[in-house]
Amino acid sequence: MTQDDGKAEEDDKARCRFLSVAEAADYLGLKRSTLDHYRWVGGGPRYRKHGGRVKYLQRDLDAWSESRQFEDTATRVR
């Protein structure tokens, strides 16, 4: 295994870590209340519920962020 393979494996593990709502909001640069609102009305990142606790995967946050790319105020990147 090369050093690059080790780094890629670490990145994959980090992307599979469960984040709390507060951690996810901090990761995205949003307020916790914004994520709470998105869960209520829809349109936010995918999440999971473990018991009564909401958890996010970093890769789901990244995918949601990628889907919200714009080239300008009128054109969404496809």
Side-chain angles (χ1 to χ4, degrees):
M1 175 162 63
T2 67
Q3 194 170 12
D4 288 339
D5 290 341
K7 176 70 172 148
E9 190 174 309
E10 284 179 35
D11 288 345
D12 286 344
K13 285 180 184 176
R15 290 172 49 83
C16 292
R17 186 175 151 258
F18 292 108
L19 302 174
S20 69
V21 177
E23 291 170 325
D26 186 56
Y27 180 76
L28 292 170
L30 300 172
K31 292 182 180 181
R32 179 190 171 124
S33 61
T34 301
L35 280 182
D36 293 342
H37 178 75
Y38 286 154
R39 279 195 317 279
W40 182 255
V41 300
R46 294 175 63 175
Y47 65 95
R48 299 161 187 235
K49 290 193 85 169
H50 296 182
R53 299 185 189 272
V54 174
K55 298 291 182 176
Y56 293 89
L57 285 175
Q58 182 179 336
R59 67 176 174 228
D60 291 336
L61 299 174
D62 291 339
W64 177 77
S65 178
E66 287 289 325
S67 74
R68 301 182 61 77
Q69 289 187 48
F70 293 85
E71 290 180 3
D72 53 50
T73 58
T75 309
R76 184 177 287 245
V77 176
R78 301 215 184 255

Coordinates of all heavy atoms in Angstrom, one line a residue:
M1 N 0.9 -1.2 0.0 CA 0.0 0.0 0.0 C 0.9 1.2 0.0 O 1.8 1.3 0.8 CB -0.9 0.0 1.2 CG -1.7 1.2 1.3 SD -3.2 1.1 2.4 CE -2.6 0.8 4.0
T2 N 0.6 2.2 -0.9 CA 1.4 3.4 -1.0 C 0.9 4.4 0.1 O -0.2 4.2 0.6 CB 1.3 4.0 -2.4 OG1 0.0 4.5 -2.6 CG2 1.7 3.0 -3.4
Q3 N 1.6 5.5 0.3 CA 1.2 6.5 1.2 C -0.1 7.2 0.7 O -1.0 7.5 1.5 CB 2.3 7.5 1.3 CG 2.1 8.5 2.5 CD 3.4 9.3 2.7 OE1 4.3 9.4 1.9 NE2 3.4 10.0 3.8
D4 N -0.2 7.3 -0.6 CA -1.5 7.9 -1.2 C -2.7 7.0 -0.9 O -3.8 7.5 -0.7 CB -1.3 8.1 -2.7 CG -0.4 9.3 -3.0 OD1 -0.2 10.1 -2.2 OD2 0.2 9.3 -4.2
D5 N -2.5 5.7 -1.0 CA -3.6 4.8 -0.7 C -4.0 4.9 0.7 O -5.2 4.9 1.0 CB -3.2 3.3 -0.9 CG -3.0 3.0 -2.4 OD1 -3.5 3.7 -3.3 OD2 -2.3 2.0 -2.7
G6 N -3.1 5.1 1.7 CA -3.5 5.3 3.1 C -4.3 6.6 3.3 O -5.2 6.6 4.0
K7 N -3.9 7.6 2.6 CA -4.6 8.9 2.7 C -6.0 8.8 2.1 O -7.0 9.3 2.7 CB -3.8 10.0 1.9 CG -4.5 11.3 1.9 CD -4.5 12.0 3.2 CE -5.0 13.4 3.1 NZ -5.7 13.9 4.2
A8 N -6.2 8.1 1.0 CA -7.5 7.9 0.4 C -8.4 7.1 1.3 O -9.5 7.3 1.5 CB -7.3 7.2 -1.0
E9 N -7.8 6.1 2.0 CA -8.5 5.2 2.9 C -9.0 6.1 4.1 O -10.1 5.9 4.6 CB -7.7 4.1 3.4 CG -8.5 3.0 4.2 CD -7.6 1.8 4.5 OE1 -7.0 1.3 3.5 OE2 -7.6 1.4 5.7
E10 N -8.1 6.9 4.6 CA -8.5 7.8 5.7 C -9.6 8.8 5.3 O -10.6 9.0 6.1 CB -7.3 8.7 6.2 CG -6.3 7.9 7.0 CD -5.1 8.8 7.4 OE1 -5.3 10.0 7.6 OE2 -4.0 8.2 7.5
D11 N -9.5 9.3 4.1 CA -10.6 10.2 3.6 C -11.9 9.5 3.5 O -13.0 10.0 3.8 CB -10.2 10.8 2.2 CG -9.1 11.8 2.3 OD1 -8.8 12.3 3.4 OD2 -8.5 12.1 1.2
D12 N -11.9 8.2 3.0 CA -13.1 7.4 2.9 C -13.7 7.2 4.3 O -15.0 7.3 4.5 CB -12.9 6.1 2.2 CG -12.6 6.2 0.7 OD1 -13.0 7.3 0.2 OD2 -12.1 5.3 0.1
K13 N -12.9 6.9 5.3 CA -13.4 6.7 6.6 C -14.0 8.0 7.2 O -15.1 7.9 7.8 CB -12.3 6.2 7.5 CG -11.9 4.8 7.3 CD -10.8 4.3 8.3 CE -10.4 2.9 8.0 NZ -9.2 2.5 8.8
A14 N -13.4 9.1 6.9 CA -13.9 10.4 7.4 C -15.3 10.7 6.8 O -16.2 11.2 7.4 CB -13.0 11.5 7.2
R15 N -15.4 10.4 5.5 CA -16.7 10.6 4.8 C -17.8 9.7 5.2 O -18.9 10.0 5.0 CB -16.4 10.5 3.3 CG -15.6 11.6 2.7 CD -15.2 11.4 1.3 NE -16.2 11.1 0.4 CZ -17.1 11.9 -0.2 NH1 -17.0 13.2 0.1 NH2 -18.0 11.5 -1.0
C16 N -17.5 8.6 5.9 CA -18.5 7.7 6.4 C -18.8 7.9 7.8 O -19.6 7.2 8.4 CB -18.0 6.2 6.2 SG -17.9 5.8 4.4
R17 N -18.2 8.8 8.5 CA -18.4 9.1 9.9 C -19.8 9.8 10.1 O -20.1 10.7 9.3 CB -17.3 10.0 10.4 CG -17.3 10.3 11.9 CD -16.1 11.1 12.3 NE -16.5 11.8 13.4 CZ -16.8 13.1 13.4 NH1 -16.7 13.8 12.3 NH2 -17.1 13.8 14.5
F18 N -20.5 9.4 11.1 CA -21.8 10.1 11.4 C -21.6 11.4 12.1 O -20.8 11.5 13.0 CB -22.7 9.2 12.2 CG -23.2 8.0 11.5 CD1 -22.7 6.7 11.8 CD2 -24.1 8.1 10.5 CE1 -23.1 5.6 11.1 CE2 -24.6 7.0 9.8 CZ -24.1 5.7 10.1
L19 N -22.2 12.4 11.6 CA -22.1 13.8 12.2 C -23.4 14.1 12.8 O -24.5 13.8 12.3 CB -21.8 14.8 11.1 CG -20.5 14.6 10.3 CD1 -20.4 15.7 9.2 CD2 -19.3 14.7 11.2
S20 N -23.4 14.8 14.0 CA -24.6 15.3 14.6 C -25.1 16.5 13.8 O -24.4 17.0 12.9 CB -24.2 15.8 16.0 OG -23.4 16.9 16.0
V21 N -26.3 17.0 14.1 CA -26.8 18.1 13.4 C -25.9 19.3 13.6 O -25.6 20.0 12.6 CB -28.3 18.4 14.0 CG1 -28.8 19.7 13.3 CG2 -29.2 17.3 13.8
A22 N -25.4 19.6 14.8 CA -24.5 20.7 15.0 C -23.2 20.6 14.2 O -22.8 21.6 13.6 CB -24.2 20.8 16.5
E23 N -22.7 19.4 14.2 CA -21.4 19.2 13.4 C -21.7 19.3 11.9 O -20.9 19.9 11.2 CB -20.9 17.8 13.7 CG -20.3 17.6 15.1 CD -20.0 16.1 15.4 OE1 -20.7 15.2 14.9 OE2 -19.0 15.9 16.1
A24 N -22.8 18.8 11.4 CA -23.2 19.0 10.0 C -23.4 20.4 9.6 O -22.9 20.9 8.6 CB -24.4 18.1 9.7
A25 N -24.1 21.2 10.5 CA -24.3 22.6 10.2 C -23.0 23.3 10.2 O -22.8 24.1 9.3 CB -25.2 23.2 11.3
D26 N -22.1 23.0 11.1 CA -20.8 23.7 11.1 C -20.0 23.3 9.9 O -19.4 24.2 9.2 CB -20.0 23.2 12.4 CG -18.7 24.0 12.5 OD1 -18.7 25.2 12.5 OD2 -17.7 23.3 12.6
Y27 N -20.0 22.0 9.4 CA -19.4 21.6 8.2 C -19.8 22.3 7.0 O -19.0 22.7 6.1 CB -19.6 20.1 8.1 CG -18.9 19.5 6.9 CD1 -17.5 19.2 6.9 CD2 -19.6 19.2 5.7 CE1 -16.9 18.7 5.7 CE2 -19.0 18.6 4.6 CZ -17.7 18.4 4.6 OH -17.1 17.9 3.5
L28 N -21.1 22.6 6.9 CA -21.7 23.3 5.8 C -21.7 24.8 5.9 O -22.0 25.5 4.9 CB -23.2 22.8 5.6 CG -23.4 21.4 5.1 CD1 -24.8 21.0 5.2 CD2 -22.8 21.1 3.7
G29 N -21.3 25.3 7.1 CA -21.3 26.7 7.3 C -22.8 27.3 7.4 O -23.0 28.4 7.1
L30 N -23.7 26.5 8.0 CA -25.0 26.9 8.2 C -25.3 26.9 9.7 O -24.6 26.4 10.5 CB -26.0 25.9 7.5 CG -25.9 25.7 6.0 CD1 -26.7 24.5 5.6 CD2 -26.2 26.9 5.3
K31 N -26.5 27.5 10.0 CA -27.0 27.4 11.4 C -27.7 26.1 11.6 O -28.3 25.5 10.6 CB -27.9 28.5 11.7 CG -27.2 29.9 11.7 CD -28.3 31.0 12.1 CE -27.6 32.3 12.1 NZ -28.5 33.4 12.5
R32 N -27.7 25.6 12.8 CA -28.4 24.4 13.1 C -29.9 24.5 12.7 O -30.5 23.6 12.2 CB -28.2 24.0 14.6 CG -29.0 22.8 14.9 CD -29.0 22.5 16.4 NE -29.9 21.4 16.7 CZ -29.6 20.3 17.3 NH1 -28.4 20.2 17.8 NH2 -30.5 19.4 17.5
S33 N -30.4 25.7 13.0 CA -31.9 25.9 12.8 C -32.2 25.8 11.3 O -33.3 25.4 10.9 CB -32.3 27.2 13.3 OG -31.6 28.3 12.7
T34 N -31.2 26.1 10.4 CA -31.4 26.0 9.0 C -31.5 24.5 8.6 O -32.4 24.1 7.8 CB -30.2 26.6 8.2 OG1 -30.1 28.0 8.6 CG2 -30.4 26.5 6.7
L35 N -30.7 23.6 9.1 CA -30.8 22.2 8.8 C -32.1 21.7 9.4 O -32.8 20.8 8.8 CB -29.6 21.4 9.4 CG -28.3 21.5 8.6 CD1 -27.3 20.6 9.3 CD2 -28.5 21.0 7.2
D36 N -32.5 22.1 10.6 CA -33.8 21.7 11.2 C -34.9 22.1 10.2 O -35.8 21.3 10.0 CB -34.0 22.4 12.5 CG -33.0 21.9 13.6 OD1 -32.4 20.8 13.4 OD2 -32.9 22.6 14.6
H37 N -34.9 23.3 9.7 CA -35.9 23.8 8.8 C -35.9 22.9 7.5 O -37.0 22.5 7.0 CB -35.6 25.2 8.4 CG -36.6 25.8 7.5 ND1 -37.9 26.1 7.8 CD2 -36.5 26.1 6.1 CE1 -38.6 26.6 6.7 NE2 -37.7 26.6 5.7
Y38 N -34.7 22.6 6.9 CA -34.7 21.8 5.7 C -35.3 20.4 6.0 O -35.9 19.8 5.1 CB -33.2 21.6 5.2 CG -32.7 22.9 4.6 CD1 -31.3 23.1 4.5 CD2 -33.5 23.8 3.9 CE1 -30.8 24.2 3.9 CE2 -33.0 24.9 3.3 CZ -31.6 25.1 3.3 OH -31.1 26.2 2.7
R39 N -35.0 19.8 7.2 CA -35.6 18.5 7.5 C -37.1 18.6 7.5 O -37.9 17.7 7.1 CB -35.1 18.0 8.8 CG -33.7 17.3 8.7 CD -33.4 16.4 9.9 NE -33.7 17.0 11.1 CZ -32.9 17.9 11.8 NH1 -31.8 18.4 11.2 NH2 -33.3 18.4 12.9
W40 N -37.6 19.7 8.0 CA -39.1 19.9 8.2 C -39.8 20.1 6.8 O -40.8 19.5 6.5 CB -39.3 21.1 9.1 CG -40.8 21.3 9.4 CD1 -41.6 22.3 8.8 CD2 -41.7 20.6 10.2 NE1 -42.9 22.2 9.3 CE2 -43.0 21.2 10.1 CE3 -41.5 19.4 11.0 CZ2 -44.1 20.7 10.8 CZ3 -42.6 18.9 11.6 CH2 -43.9 19.6 11.6
V41 N -39.2 21.0 6.0 CA -39.9 21.3 4.7 C -39.3 20.6 3.5 O -39.9 20.6 2.5 CB -39.8 22.9 4.4 CG1 -40.4 23.7 5.5 CG2 -38.4 23.3 4.2
G42 N -38.2 19.9 3.7 CA -37.6 19.2 2.6 C -36.5 20.0 1.9 O -36.4 21.2 2.1
G43 N -35.8 19.4 1.0 CA -34.8 20.1 0.2 C -33.4 20.1 0.8 O -32.5 20.6 0.2
G44 N -33.3 19.6 2.0 CA -31.9 19.6 2.6 C -31.2 18.3 2.3 O -31.6 17.4 1.5
P45 N -30.0 18.1 2.9 CA -29.2 16.9 2.7 C -29.9 15.7 3.3 O -30.7 15.8 4.2 CB -27.9 17.2 3.4 CG -28.2 18.3 4.3 CD -29.4 19.1 3.8
R46 N -29.6 14.5 2.8 CA -30.1 13.3 3.3 C -29.6 13.1 4.7 O -28.5 13.5 5.1 CB -29.6 12.1 2.5 CG -30.1 12.1 1.1 CD -29.5 11.0 0.3 NE -29.8 9.7 0.8 CZ -29.5 8.5 0.3 NH1 -28.8 8.5 -0.8 NH2 -29.9 7.4 0.9
Y47 N -30.4 12.5 5.5 CA -30.1 12.3 6.9 C -30.6 10.9 7.4 O -31.4 10.3 6.7 CB -30.6 13.4 7.8 CG -32.1 13.5 7.9 CD1 -32.8 12.8 9.0 CD2 -32.8 14.2 7.0 CE1 -34.2 12.9 9.1 CE2 -34.2 14.3 7.1 CZ -34.9 13.6 8.1 OH -36.2 13.7 8.2
R48 N -30.2 10.5 8.5 CA -30.6 9.2 9.1 C -31.1 9.4 10.5 O -30.6 10.4 11.1 CB -29.5 8.2 9.1 CG -28.9 7.9 7.7 CD -27.6 7.3 7.8 NE -27.0 7.2 6.5 CZ -26.6 6.1 5.9 NH1 -26.6 5.0 6.6 NH2 -26.1 6.1 4.7
K49 N -31.9 8.6 11.0 CA -32.3 8.6 12.4 C -31.9 7.4 13.1 O -32.2 6.3 12.6 CB -33.8 8.8 12.5 CG -34.2 10.2 12.0 CD -35.6 10.6 12.4 CE -35.6 11.1 13.8 NZ -36.9 11.7 14.2
H50 N -31.1 7.6 14.1 CA -30.7 6.5 15.0 C -31.4 6.7 16.3 O -31.0 7.5 17.1 CB -29.2 6.5 15.2 CG -28.4 6.3 13.9 ND1 -27.1 6.2 13.9 CD2 -28.8 6.1 12.6 CE1 -26.6 6.0 12.6 NE2 -27.7 5.9 11.9
G51 N -32.4 5.9 16.5 CA -33.3 6.1 17.7 C -34.0 7.5 17.4 O -34.6 7.7 16.3
G52 N -33.9 8.4 18.3 CA -34.5 9.7 18.1 C -33.4 10.7 17.6 O -33.8 11.9 17.4
R53 N -32.2 10.3 17.4 CA -31.1 11.2 17.0 C -30.9 11.3 15.5 O -30.9 10.3 14.8 CB -29.8 10.8 17.7 CG -29.9 10.8 19.2 CD -28.6 10.5 19.8 NE -28.7 10.3 21.2 CZ -28.6 11.3 22.1 NH1 -28.5 12.5 21.7 NH2 -28.7 11.0 23.4
V54 N -30.8 12.5 15.0 CA -30.6 12.7 13.6 C -29.1 12.7 13.3 O -28.3 13.4 14.0 CB -31.2 14.1 13.1 CG1 -30.8 14.4 11.7 CG2 -32.7 14.1 13.3
K55 N -28.6 12.0 12.3 CA -27.2 11.9 11.9 C -27.1 12.1 10.4 O -27.9 11.8 9.6 CB -26.6 10.5 12.3 CG -26.7 10.2 13.8 CD -25.7 11.1 14.5 CE -25.7 10.8 16.0 NZ -24.8 11.6 16.7
Y56 N -25.9 12.7 10.1 CA -25.6 13.0 8.7 C -24.3 12.3 8.4 O -23.4 12.2 9.2 CB -25.4 14.5 8.4 CG -26.7 15.3 8.5 CD1 -27.1 15.8 9.7 CD2 -27.5 15.5 7.4 CE1 -28.2 16.6 9.9 CE2 -28.7 16.3 7.5 CZ -29.0 16.8 8.7 OH -30.2 17.5 8.8
L57 N -24.2 11.8 7.1 CA -22.9 11.3 6.6 C -22.2 12.5 5.9 O -22.9 13.2 5.1 CB -23.0 10.1 5.7 CG -23.3 8.8 6.4 CD1 -23.6 7.7 5.3 CD2 -22.2 8.4 7.3
Q58 N -20.9 12.6 6.0 CA -20.2 13.7 5.3 C -20.4 13.6 3.8 O -20.6 14.6 3.1 CB -18.7 13.7 5.7 CG -18.0 14.8 5.0 CD -16.5 14.9 5.4 OE1 -16.1 14.3 6.4 NE2 -15.7 15.4 4.5
R59 N -20.4 12.4 3.3 CA -20.5 12.2 1.8 C -21.9 12.7 1.4 O -22.1 13.2 0.3 CB -20.2 10.8 1.4 CG -21.2 9.7 1.9 CD -20.9 8.4 1.4 NE -21.8 7.4 2.0 CZ -21.4 6.3 2.5 NH1 -20.1 5.9 2.5 NH2 -22.3 5.4 3.0
D60 N -23.0 12.5 2.2 CA -24.3 13.0 1.9 C -24.3 14.5 1.9 O -25.0 15.1 1.0 CB -25.4 12.4 2.8 CG -25.6 10.9 2.6 OD1 -25.3 10.4 1.5 OD2 -26.0 10.3 3.6
L61 N -23.6 15.1 2.8 CA -23.5 16.6 2.9 C -22.8 17.1 1.7 O -23.2 18.1 1.0 CB -22.8 17.0 4.2 CG -23.5 16.6 5.5 CD1 -22.6 17.0 6.6 CD2 -24.8 17.2 5.6
D62 N -21.7 16.4 1.3 CA -20.9 16.8 0.1 C -21.8 16.7 -1.2 O -21.8 17.6 -2.0 CB -19.7 15.9 -0.1 CG -18.6 16.2 1.0 OD1 -18.7 17.3 1.6 OD2 -17.8 15.3 1.2
A63 N -22.6 15.6 -1.3 CA -23.4 15.4 -2.5 C -24.5 16.5 -2.5 O -24.8 17.0 -3.6 CB -24.1 14.0 -2.4
W64 N -25.1 16.8 -1.4 CA -26.1 17.8 -1.4 C -25.5 19.2 -1.8 O -26.1 19.9 -2.6 CB -26.7 17.9 0.0 CG -27.7 19.0 0.1 CD1 -29.0 19.0 -0.3 CD2 -27.6 20.3 0.8 NE1 -29.7 20.2 0.0 CE2 -28.8 21.0 0.7 CE3 -26.5 20.9 1.4 CZ2 -28.9 22.3 1.2 CZ3 -26.6 22.2 1.9 CH2 -27.9 22.8 1.8
S65 N -24.3 19.5 -1.3 CA -23.7 20.7 -1.6 C -23.3 20.8 -3.1 O -23.5 21.8 -3.8 CB -22.4 20.9 -0.8 OG -21.7 22.1 -1.1
E66 N -22.9 19.7 -3.7 CA -22.5 19.6 -5.1 C -23.8 19.9 -5.9 O -23.7 20.5 -7.0 CB -22.0 18.2 -5.4 CG -20.5 18.0 -5.0 CD -19.5 18.8 -5.7 OE1 -19.7 19.0 -6.9 OE2 -18.5 19.2 -5.1
S67 N -24.9 19.4 -5.5 CA -26.2 19.6 -6.3 C -26.7 21.0 -6.2 O -27.6 21.3 -7.0 CB -27.3 18.6 -5.7 OG -27.8 19.1 -4.5
R68 N -26.1 21.9 -5.4 CA -26.5 23.2 -5.3 C -25.5 24.2 -6.0 O -25.4 25.3 -5.5 CB -26.7 23.6 -3.8 CG -27.7 22.7 -3.2 CD -28.0 23.0 -1.7 NE -28.5 24.3 -1.5 CZ -29.7 24.7 -1.7 NH1 -30.6 23.8 -2.2 NH2 -30.1 25.9 -1.5
Q69 N -24.8 23.8 -7.0 CA -23.8 24.6 -7.7 C -24.5 25.5 -8.7 O -25.4 25.0 -9.4 CB -22.8 23.8 -8.4 CG -21.8 23.1 -7.5 CD -20.8 22.4 -8.3 OE1 -20.2 23.0 -9.2 NE2 -20.5 21.2 -8.0
F70 N -24.1 26.7 -8.8 CA -24.6 27.7 -9.8 C -23.4 28.4 -10.5 O -22.4 28.6 -9.9 CB -25.5 28.7 -9.1 CG -26.8 28.2 -8.5 CD1 -26.8 27.7 -7.3 CD2 -27.9 28.2 -9.3 CE1 -27.9 27.2 -6.7 CE2 -29.1 27.8 -8.7 CZ -29.1 27.2 -7.5
E71 N -23.6 28.6 -11.8 CA -22.6 29.4 -12.6 C -22.8 30.9 -12.4 O -21.9 31.7 -12.4 CB -22.7 29.0 -14.0 CG -22.2 27.6 -14.3 CD -22.2 27.2 -15.8 OE1 -22.6 28.1 -16.6 OE2 -21.9 26.1 -16.1
D72 N -24.1 31.2 -12.3 CA -24.5 32.6 -12.0 C -25.9 32.6 -11.4 O -26.4 31.5 -11.0 CB -24.5 33.5 -13.3 CG -25.4 32.8 -14.4 OD1 -26.5 32.5 -14.1 OD2 -24.9 32.7 -15.5
T73 N -26.4 33.7 -11.1 CA -27.7 33.7 -10.4 C -28.9 33.1 -11.1 O -29.9 32.8 -10.5 CB -28.1 35.2 -10.0 OG1 -28.2 35.9 -11.2 CG2 -27.1 35.8 -9.1
A74 N -28.7 32.8 -12.4 CA -29.8 32.3 -13.1 C -29.6 30.8 -13.6 O -30.5 30.2 -14.1 CB -30.1 33.1 -14.3
T75 N -28.3 30.3 -13.5 CA -28.0 29.1 -14.2 C -27.4 28.1 -13.2 O -26.4 28.3 -12.6 CB -26.9 29.3 -15.3 OG1 -27.4 30.3 -16.2 CG2 -26.7 28.0 -16.1
R76 N -28.2 27.0 -13.0 CA -27.7 25.9 -12.1 C -26.8 25.0 -12.9 O -27.1 24.7 -14.1 CB -28.9 25.1 -11.6 CG -28.4 24.0 -10.6 CD -29.6 23.3 -10.1 NE -30.3 24.1 -9.2 CZ -30.5 23.8 -7.9 NH1 -29.9 22.8 -7.4 NH2 -31.1 24.6 -7.1
V77 N -25.7 24.6 -12.4 CA -24.7 23.7 -13.0 C -25.4 22.3 -13.0 O -25.9 21.9 -12.0 CB -23.4 23.6 -12.3 CG1 -22.5 22.6 -12.9 CG2 -22.7 25.0 -12.3
R78 N -25.4 21.6 -14.1 CA -25.9 20.3 -14.2 C -24.9 19.2 -14.2 O -23.8 19.3 -14.5 CB -26.7 20.1 -15.5 CG -27.8 21.2 -15.5 CD -29.1 20.6 -16.2 NE -30.1 21.7 -16.3 CZ -31.1 21.7 -15.5 NH1 -31.3 20.8 -14.6 NH2 -32.0 22.7 -15.6

